């Protein structure tokens, strides 16, 4: 039977549309396009890196949120339509260059030595190139067969870092996840399931003999509070452990709190200590805390997201003494190992706890015909299923430069922070809030006229000056509020930051604050910048 003419025309049209779609897809996947774009990107990245050494290059390319959103939308609205798609590689590369340059020109320049803000590093540049392999080839993992090399890389790094921490080889295990917050959640979930498995299975219907609580450093990261909420423990069941004058956990106060919980029939899910805490970078006395946790058989969880890599440094590893005694440890490579975000390690001292957090089965993923591979199916250990292979950057950097680089990064940034602390003591009217243990320094500029003002006005001036500094692009720093009083806070997360940059910062703060002397605004302003 001969098809009707209209059906023939319809079929031809459909074939043409299919072929056009296929052609557009092939153009996007063209290896020659990738080659040309890679060369273009290499040129742009090199030029960008060189520009960051110039004294006038802004740290933060500040624009208002509305303006940035408008410009981002304009680029999307100018994207090719079905009718205007250009298959010429030269034209595509010109457009690629414009888009890539826009991203570099609009972004935050953490590689600028005047970036001394959040606990996010100027990552080792070549680490980013190793990470690009993950992105371009879309390496993922959950079961071994989906990411065999990614799994091997992750497990090798877990073994190497765990050994540096001091865990006993063959007895510990770990996993890599996307960020310290998720690592804290997973570690505390394992602790909760160890103490109160009924919460995980029965939820709110669980009949508990004793109310679950977390004993937490008063300066612990806010992700711990979020975890208590998610885990069904409740944010009001967080009991804050008193700190000493250096904002470290007081062991005696911790023991009193443990005994109080026992007398009140409360189940302690975990003690949460810090190495180091975010506000001023204080390292808790882990050995003494571990002694208490072992004595009373309580799970010890240490958030060492920032300070964990200190164990690589011969000069500073004493700060993490006792870390290996914790039941679970959070350890971010994307902080003091200077790896692109996100790559957060979670370690369990006892290998048996590797499946304590998650015990669900997924028949379509895990192959019963190869049970010997199950221990390599890392999706069994983490909340993530399709997990990005986020260890390539660290593995490549370690293999290329050796582990001494990580010790060097700790030593140099810690020493630079110490240099800054010494400058504060030399400069009139500046005061350090604490004696720094790491690369975090909190300080104030308080000339007599400012100190005489009400606290509310002092705080407002600190907030306003910080905002002027970051919006100008001159520096990027953050703020802190300790005991109700605002202060400036820096974290030396660029190992190329020098004393000259730090002196320039102090001079800039002094100049900007003094301009407020005769023009003090009447109303306070709040800066919602969170510490990370």
């Amino acid at each position: 039977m001969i098809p009707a003419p209209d059906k023939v025309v319809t079929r031809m049209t459909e074939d043409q549309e299919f072929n056009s779609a296929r052609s557009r897809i092939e153009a996007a996947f063209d290896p020659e396009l990738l080659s040309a774009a890679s060369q273009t990107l290499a040129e742009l990245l090199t030029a960008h890196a060189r520009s960051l050494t110039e004294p006038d290059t802004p740290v933060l390319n500040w624009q208002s949120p509305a303006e940035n959103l408008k410009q981002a939308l304009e680029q999307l609205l100018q994207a090719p339509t079905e009718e205007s798609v250009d298959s010429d590689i030269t034209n595509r590369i010109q457009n690629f260059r414009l888009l890539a340059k826009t991203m570099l020109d609009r972004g935050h320049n953490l590689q600028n030595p005047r970036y001394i803000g959040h606990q996010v590093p100027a990552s080792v540049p070549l680490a980013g190139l190793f990470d690009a392999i993950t992105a371009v080839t879309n390496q993922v993992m959950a079961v071994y067969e989906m990411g065999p090399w990614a799994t091997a890389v992750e497990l090798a790094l877990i073994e190497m870092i765990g050994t540096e921490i001091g865990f006993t080889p063959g007895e510990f295990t770990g996993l890599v996840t996307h960020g310290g917050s998720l690592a804290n959640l997973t570690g505390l979930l394992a602790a909760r399931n160890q103490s109160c498995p009924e919460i995980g299975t029965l939820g709110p219907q669980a009949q508990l003999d004793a109310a679950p609580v977390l004993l937490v450093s008063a300066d612990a990261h806010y992700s711990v509070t979020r975890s208590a909420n998610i885990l069904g423990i409740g944010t009001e069941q967080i009991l804050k452990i008193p700190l000493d004058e250096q904002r470290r956990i007081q062991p005696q106060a911790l023991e009193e709190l443990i005994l109080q919980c026992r007398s009140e029939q409360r189940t302690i899910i975990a003690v949460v200590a810090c190495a180091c805490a975010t506000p001023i970078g204080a390292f808790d006395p882990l050995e003494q805390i571990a002694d208490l946790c072992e004595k009373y058989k309580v799970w010890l969880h240490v958030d060492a997201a920032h300070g964990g890599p200190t164990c690589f440094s011969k000069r500073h590893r004493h700060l993490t003494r006792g870390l290996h005694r914790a039941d679970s440890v959070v350890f971010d490579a994307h902080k003091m190992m200077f790896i692109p975000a996100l790559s957060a390690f979670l370690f369990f001292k006892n290998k048996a706890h590797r499946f304590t957090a998650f015990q669900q089965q997924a028949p379509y993923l895990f192959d019963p015909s190869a049970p010997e591979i199950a221990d390599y199916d890392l999706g069994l250990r983490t909340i993530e299923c399709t997990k990005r292979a986020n260890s390539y950057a660290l593995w490549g950097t370690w293999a290329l430069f050796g582990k001494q680089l990580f010790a060097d990064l700790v030593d140099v940034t810690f020493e630079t922070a110490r240099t800054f602390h010494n400058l504060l003591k030399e400069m009139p009217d500046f005061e350090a809030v604490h004696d720094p243990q790491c690369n975090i320094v909190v300080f104030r500029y308080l000339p007599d006229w400012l100190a005489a003002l009400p606290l509310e006005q002092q705080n407002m001036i600190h907030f306003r000056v910080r905002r002027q500094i970051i919006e100008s692009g001159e520096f990027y720093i953050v703020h802190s509020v300790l005991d109700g009083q605002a202060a400036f806070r820096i974290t030396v997360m660029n190992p190329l930051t020098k004393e000259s940059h730090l002196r320039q910062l102090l001079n800039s703060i002094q100049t900007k604050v003094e301009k407020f002397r005769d023009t003090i605004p009447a109303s306070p302003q709040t800066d919602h910048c969170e510490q990370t």
Side-chain angles (χ1 to χ4, degrees):
M1 183 176 180
I2 300 174
D6 59 336
K7 291 185 177 180
V8 172
V9 171
T10 300
R11 179 57 184 269
M12 291 177 62
T13 303
E14 289 175 349
D15 288 346
Q16 289 174 352
E17 290 176 350
F18 177 83
N19 290 333
S20 295
R22 172 74 73 181
S23 177
R24 289 190 291 270
I25 291 172
E26 289 175 347
F29 281 76
D30 184 358
E32 297 308 315
L33 178 64
L34 175 62
S35 174
S38 298
Q39 293 176 47
T40 300
L41 183 58
E43 294 170 8
L44 290 172
L45 287 173
T46 302
H48 179 72
R50 287 172 176 158
S51 74
L52 298 181
T53 62
E54 300 296 326
D56 297 329
T57 302
V59 182
L60 174 63
N61 294 294
W62 175 261
Q63 289 195 51
S64 70
E67 182 59 29
N68 266 338
L69 178 57
K70 176 185 174 184
Q71 293 176 4
L73 284 170
E74 285 177 355
Q75 294 287 355
L76 296 177
L77 294 171
Q78 293 170 11
T81 62
E82 181 181 346
E83 296 78 16
S84 65
V85 171
D86 188 347
S87 60
D88 183 75
I89 287 184
T90 301
N91 291 337
R92 285 190 186 278
I93 293 303
Q94 288 177 349
N95 291 332
F96 174 82
R97 178 184 289 275
L98 289 173
L99 293 171
K101 193 169 187 311
T102 297
M103 295 169 70
L104 292 170
D105 291 345
R106 304 285 186 193
H108 202 158
N109 293 326
L110 276 64
Q111 306 287 349
N112 190 311
R114 287 174 279 114
Y115 172 85
I116 38 178
H118 288 295
Q119 293 157 258
V120 182
S123 55
V124 178
L126 291 189
L129 299 187
F130 287 116
D131 196 53
I133 296 173
T134 302
V136 172
T137 62
N138 197 26
Q139 297 298 299
V140 298
M141 52 196 300
V143 291
Y144 176 76
E145 65 188 53
M146 271 300 291
W149 184 244
T151 301
V153 163
E154 180 169 318
L155 291 175
L157 286 168
I158 287 167
E159 183 175 331
M160 296 291 281
I161 296 175
T163 301
E164 290 294 322
I165 289 173
F167 290 122
T168 303
E171 294 184 6
F172 72 93
T173 188
L175 58 97
V176 180
T177 190
H178 284 78
S181 295
L182 195 52
N184 270 325
L185 174 65
T186 306
L188 292 174
L189 174 58
R192 189 206 68 180
N193 288 347
Q194 187 75 6
S195 299
C196 299
E198 312 96 309
I199 298 178
T201 55
L202 300 176
Q205 308 306 317
Q207 300 296 316
L208 302 176
D209 295 331
V213 296
L214 286 172
L215 307 189
V216 177
S217 161
D219 274 354
H221 193 261
Y222 59 81
S223 64
V224 173
T225 302
R226 292 181 176 181
S227 296
N229 184 347
I230 296 168
L231 297 176
I233 297 169
T235 57
E236 293 188 5
Q237 302 308 313
I238 291 179
L239 305 182
K240 293 187 176 181
I241 308 166
L243 308 179
D244 62 19
E245 67 281 355
Q246 294 176 285
R247 304 190 76 88
R248 301 175 303 181
I249 284 177
Q250 296 181 36
Q252 182 178 349
L254 171 60
E255 184 167 26
E256 291 171 359
L257 203 51
I258 292 172
L259 293 173
Q260 178 186 333
C261 287
R262 288 196 163 189
S263 68
E264 295 174 355
Q265 297 299 304
R266 294 186 176 193
T267 298
I268 301 172
I269 299 295
V271 168
V272 180
C274 300
C276 53
T278 297
I280 66 168
F283 286 76
D284 287 326
L286 299 180
E287 289 280 26
Q288 294 169 274
I289 294 170
D291 286 342
L292 292 171
C293 289
E294 290 174 6
K295 176 180 178 180
Y296 294 104
K297 295 180 172 55
V298 175
W299 185 290
L300 173 57
H301 176 83
V302 178
D303 183 349
H306 183 82
T310 306
C311 67
F312 284 91
S313 166
K314 293 180 181 178
R315 294 177 58 189
H316 300 288
R317 66 174 50 148
H318 65 277
L319 294 169
T320 57
R321 189 177 296 123
L323 186 60
H324 67 288
R325 298 175 62 188
D327 296 282
S328 52
V329 173
V330 174
F331 188 109
D332 284 358
H334 62 269
K335 286 190 171 69
M336 289 306 296
M337 293 185 83
F338 286 71
I339 298 301
L342 290 164
S343 182
F345 287 72
L346 172 65
F347 292 94
F348 292 112
K349 178 178 65 176
N350 186 343
K351 198 172 185 177
H353 291 145
R354 65 193 184 282
F355 300 128
T356 304
F358 305 101
Q359 299 175 342
Q360 292 80 15
Q361 296 297 317
Y364 64 93
L365 283 181
F366 308 111
D367 186 353
S369 70
E372 72 280 1
I373 295 180
D375 212 37
Y376 297 91
D377 293 337
L378 300 183
L380 289 166
R381 308 182 188 186
T382 173
I383 196 170
E384 301 159 283
C385 182
T386 303
K387 186 182 82 170
R388 186 178 190 271
N390 53 350
S391 296
Y392 275 19
L394 177 57
W395 177 83
T397 303
W398 191 321
L400 189 63
F401 294 101
K403 69 177 184 178
Q404 181 59 40
L405 176 63
F406 307 122
D408 294 339
L409 290 166
V410 168
D411 290 344
V412 168
T413 54
F414 279 30
E415 184 60 30
T416 304
R418 174 58 57 182
T419 297
F420 184 68
H421 183 259
N422 292 335
L423 289 177
L424 292 172
K425 292 190 289 186
E426 296 173 6
M427 298 283 284
D429 301 325
F430 280 96
E431 63 175 30
V433 173
H434 63 111
D435 187 28
Q437 286 190 291
C438 62
N439 55 335
I440 298 173
V441 185
V442 181
F443 65 102
R444 298 188 179 97
Y445 177 63
L446 275 179
D448 292 341
W449 67 267
L450 182 56
L453 295 176
L455 182 60
E456 186 179 55
Q457 287 188 315
Q458 291 182 35
N459 290 351
M460 177 274 300
I461 290 174
H462 269 83
F463 292 144
R464 287 284 299 276
V465 167
R466 189 199 81 93
R467 177 123 322 255
Q468 287 180 8
I469 287 172
I470 69 168
E471 290 186 10
S472 71
E474 184 183 5
F475 283 91
Y476 188 87
I477 62 172
V478 297
H479 77 264
S480 185
V481 178
L482 298 176
D483 301 322
Q485 188 168 7
F488 301 111
R489 176 178 176 272
I490 73 162
T491 309
V492 182
M493 295 300 288
N494 189 324
L496 302 181
T497 299
K498 296 181 171 60
E499 181 177 338
S500 58
H501 301 119
L502 302 174
R503 287 186 181 276
Q504 182 184 343
L505 170 64
L506 294 179
N507 290 333
S508 179
I509 290 173
Q510 188 174 37
T511 299
K512 287 178 171 57
V513 169
E514 290 300 323
K515 289 182 179 178
F516 280 92
R517 189 165 190 166
D518 299 318
T519 57
I520 301 172
S523 58
Q525 295 193 5
T526 302
D527 190 323
H528 299 288
C529 179
E530 286 186 333
Q531 296 176 358
T532 60

